Amino acid sequence: MNPGKARATSNSSMLLDIESLTKIFNLRQGLATTQLIAVDQANFSLKSDQPEIFALAGESGSGKTTVARMILGLTEPTSGRLRYRGKDITQLSRREKKSWYFREVQPIFQNPFATFSPLKRIETYLFETAVNYQIVDKCQLQPYVDQVLSSVGLSLAEISGRYPNELSGGQAQRVSVARALITNPTLLIADEPVSMVDASLRMSIVNLFRELRDQKGVSVLYITHDLATAYYAADRIAVMLRGWIIESGPVEKVLGNPLHPYTQDLKKSIPTPNPDKKWGDLISLEGFDSEALTNVGCKYASRCAEATDMCRQQTPESVEKDGRQVKCFLYEAT
Ligand SMILES: Nc1ncnc2c1ncn2[C@@H]1O[C@H](COP(=O)(O)OP(=O)(O)O)[C@@H](O)[C@H]1O
Ligand SMILES: [Mg+2]
């Protein structure tokens, strides 16, 4: 299937459809202003007919959080399109966003403790979210919140009366997943949800996403710099490099048999799947920052063993090759 063609004819088969999404930040340094391209013509989509875990993976600074913030309406795109169920969400009013979009799309952040005020009891958040979004009648609040908590392996009795600092990191992240589930969303945007959770508990959070997909039909945009949990948990993956999506497709294709030299280098540097290994430990990214503002050629050319003059002078297009999209001159569309 050619995704470009599918987009041109219909959007209804897409839950979330991101097309040429770009964010340029203007950085003021004294009197001078420089521009930083945080997200550069990114394309990917999540299907609506089948819930899935879609990993957006890449090292720190590659643009993942900026993509998440644009989806959540917290950062305005510089250009490109962001559609949800076929509607351009950047064109929605705040009211429209609140009435349906923010119910359907809920965030989960890196630090669960930052989600909650230390002075408020945990259950208060869950009740308030249900009340604010008018999810259930007041008399139904307690059973509803209890039922949502049970879907993350907790109960109202367990957390009742407790303050955030009385929860373990794993429990706090489960409660923040529960808070996100109160509005009965279709899509969770989880930005590095396990990076502050103990290594021993990481898999249990990632497994929770799989259960939510299978039992509640929830899709998850799982943002991570951790290749191992992405490989383990995701159905599909998009690998980011300095604002570009350089390879995307089914995880068993992209990580099982990577085609882009960058994805190949990342994979080679992991001897065995290990959830404790982070990308930062795996590949030296020295030298990337100084080039960040040059906008010519492939963004991996300076480090790529396969790079030719063409790679340094021209920008590769994404092509479909062996069941995935890859942005590299080594490949021609099949
Ligand atoms: N509000 C901002 N103002 C200026 N630059 C930003 C801002 N937010 C992010 N950036 C820059 O954009 C790039 C991508 O950042 P980010 O999306 O946070 O990456 P990631 O989440 O993959 O680590 C980085 O170079 C970062 O410094
Ligand atoms: Mg980030």
Side-chain angles (χ1 to χ4, degrees):
M1 186 194 80
N2 179 333
K5 270 189 198 151
R7 259 196 298 275
T9 50
S10 162
N11 291 308
S12 56
S13 62
M14 303 297 182
L15 185 66
L16 179 71
D17 189 19
I18 281 171
E19 195 185 334
S20 300
L21 192 66
T22 299
K23 179 66 192 181
I24 299 174
F25 289 110
N26 291 313
L27 307 175
R28 282 189 193 89
Q29 291 165 324
L31 291 176
T33 303
T34 52
Q35 293 196 315
L36 184 136
I37 306 177
V39 178
D40 194 356
Q41 309 262 337
N43 293 302
F44 68 91
S45 48
L46 273 69
K47 297 173 207 143
S48 62
D49 52 353
Q50 199 186 350
E52 61 177 330
I53 299 180
F54 190 102
L56 186 60
E59 84 270 356
S60 181
S62 57
K64 305 180 299 296
T65 294
T66 306
V67 169
R69 288 179 57 85
M70 288 192 278
I71 297 169
L72 293 167
L74 302 170
T75 294
E76 187 142 347
T78 305
S79 60
R81 272 192 283 273
L82 230 166
R83 295 195 200 89
Y84 186 80
R85 297 196 191 279
K87 271 199 177 179
D88 184 346
I89 57 134
T90 60
Q91 304 299 314
L92 296 180
S93 66
R94 248 210 91 70
R95 205 162 149 199
E96 282 174 302
K97 275 188 200 152
K98 184 151 189 214
S99 74
W100 67 278
Y101 183 70
F102 289 162
R103 281 170 190 241
E104 290 223 6
V105 181
Q106 282 281 321
I108 294 164
F109 297 109
Q110 184 174 18
N111 181 355
F113 294 104
T115 315
F116 305 109
S117 154
L119 303 174
K120 221 183 235 186
R121 284 200 293 263
I122 284 286
E123 76 266 26
T124 311
Y125 275 95
L126 306 176
F127 291 142
E128 279 178 358
T129 308
V131 169
N132 284 344
Y133 282 93
Q134 300 174 335
I135 304 297
V136 284
D137 285 343
K138 280 226 161 96
C139 61
Q140 290 298 311
L141 265 181
Q142 298 233 351
Y144 180 70
V145 166
D146 192 39
Q147 176 215 318
V148 172
L149 280 165
S150 77
S151 67
V152 301
L154 293 168
S155 69
L156 190 53
E158 246 173 298
I159 62 145
S160 217
R162 294 169 80 180
Y163 288 90
N165 67 347
E166 297 175 281
L167 301 181
S168 70
Q171 277 176 326
Q173 196 53 293
R174 278 170 191 272
V175 175
S176 73
V177 176
R179 193 215 52 81
L181 292 173
I182 291 276
T183 63
N184 199 16
T186 313
L187 175 62
L188 297 178
I189 309 290
D191 191 357
E192 307 269 8
V194 297
S195 61
M196 291 187 71
V197 172
D198 283 351
S200 59
L201 291 168
R202 257 176 228 160
M203 282 305 184
S204 77
I205 299 289
V206 168
N207 277 327
L208 174 60
F209 292 143
R210 288 157 60 109
E211 280 166 37
L212 293 172
R213 176 197 60 190
D214 297 340
Q215 286 160 23
K216 299 191 89 162
V218 173
S219 287
V220 183
L221 183 67
Y222 173 56
I223 297 176
T224 186
H225 62 263
D226 174 13
L227 207 55
T229 54
Y231 198 12
Y232 170 76
D235 302 300
R236 292 192 298 146
I237 186 168
V239 180
M240 286 193 83
L241 169 72
R242 298 169 57 212
W244 274 3
I245 289 177
I246 50 108
E247 188 163 359
S248 63
V251 78
E252 68 275 12
K253 295 259 182 200
V254 174
L255 297 183
N257 176 29
L259 293 183
H260 197 288
Y262 177 61
T263 329
Q264 288 173 348
D265 289 347
L266 285 169
K267 190 183 171 188
K268 264 185 244 151
S269 59
I270 309 177
T272 52
N274 178 350
D276 293 337
K277 281 260 178 202
K278 304 225 172 109
W279 282 24
D281 310 333
L282 300 173
I283 188 163
S284 162
L285 295 162
E286 242 172 86
F288 269 9
D289 273 357
S290 57
E291 315 163 308
L293 301 174
T294 64
N295 198 16
V296 178
C298 173
K299 297 193 186 195
Y300 197 49
S302 65
R303 321 222 90 217
C304 181
E306 314 265 0
T308 63
D309 283 346
M310 181 163 71
C311 304
R312 286 178 272 274
Q313 289 154 11
Q314 293 174 38
T315 303
E317 293 287 326
S318 266
V319 294
E320 176 133 3
K321 180 82 187 170
D322 184 24
R324 93 286 308 268
Q325 296 281 321
V326 58
K327 196 174 175 74
C328 176
F329 285 122
L330 285 174
Y331 306 100
E332 281 174 18
T334 47

